[in-house]
Amino acid sequence: ILELVNRRSMNVSRQGGRGGDLAKLMGTIAQDVVETSAVTGLMLKQNTTRGDPRYHHAPLALFPTPYPLDMYKEALSYQHALGELICGIIERPRSNIHALLTDFAKNDEFMSRLLEVSKAFTEQKARGEPV
């Protein structure tokens, strides 16, 4: 992506563009990024309908966005506790993650299938069967 930005910027500066050309450059860069996303597979399926060929590019930002340092430090301070919480949920899927995901599975066909697979895997493992 940076290569595309640099290449486009050099073309505009060589042509002596200013002002309105910047908006045109930004539009061109945005289009290049969307097309690059498609070529590199950075796409999300538009809906859950099987066989529907419609996709969108994944959400992305063209340029870095300032992030307040105090908020970053606060989020970082929660990292260890959040990691412990997630590990606890994953270690005991039957009593934790399955209960948490049941509500989501009611409205999401894909999540419902994932939950069924996870439950079957957990049950087989509990019975000592090979998984």
Side-chain angles (χ1 to χ4, degrees), residues 58-75:
L60 46 91
L62 290 179
F63 302 104
T65 303
Y67 194 84
L69 183 61
D70 59 325
M71 293 180 82
Y72 170 76
K73 287 181 177 179
E74 183 179 355

Side-chain angles (χ1 to χ4, degrees), residues 26-129:
M26 296 298 288
T28 302
I29 291 170
Q31 186 62 39
D32 285 350
V33 170
V34 169
E35 290 172 2
T36 301
S37 296
V39 171
T40 59
L42 191 62
M43 304 294 284
L44 300 171
K45 192 157 173 58
Q46 186 173 352
N47 58 50
T48 59
T49 305
R50 192 170 197 74
D52 187 342
R54 293 178 290 173
Y55 286 81
H56 292 287
H57 63 82
L60 46 91
L62 290 179
F63 302 104
T65 303
Y67 194 84
L69 183 61
D70 59 325
M71 293 180 82
Y72 170 76
K73 287 181 177 179
E74 183 179 355
L76 189 61
S77 72
Y78 297 129
Q79 183 180 7
H80 182 73
L82 186 58
E84 291 290 324
L85 177 66
I86 291 171
C87 284
I89 290 171
I90 292 170
E91 284 177 355
R92 295 177 303 280
R94 183 179 296 167
S95 62
N96 290 319
I97 202 164
H98 292 163
L100 287 171
L101 295 178
T102 299
D103 286 335
F104 292 102
K106 291 176 187 174
N107 299 310
D108 186 337
E109 182 183 328
F110 180 71
M111 179 60 70
S112 178
R113 288 190 311 245
L114 286 178
L115 193 55
E116 288 174 19
V117 169
S118 178
K119 286 178 179 179
F121 177 85
T122 304
E123 289 170 9
Q124 274 186 275
K125 189 174 175 185
R127 290 191 301 260
E129 296 177 13

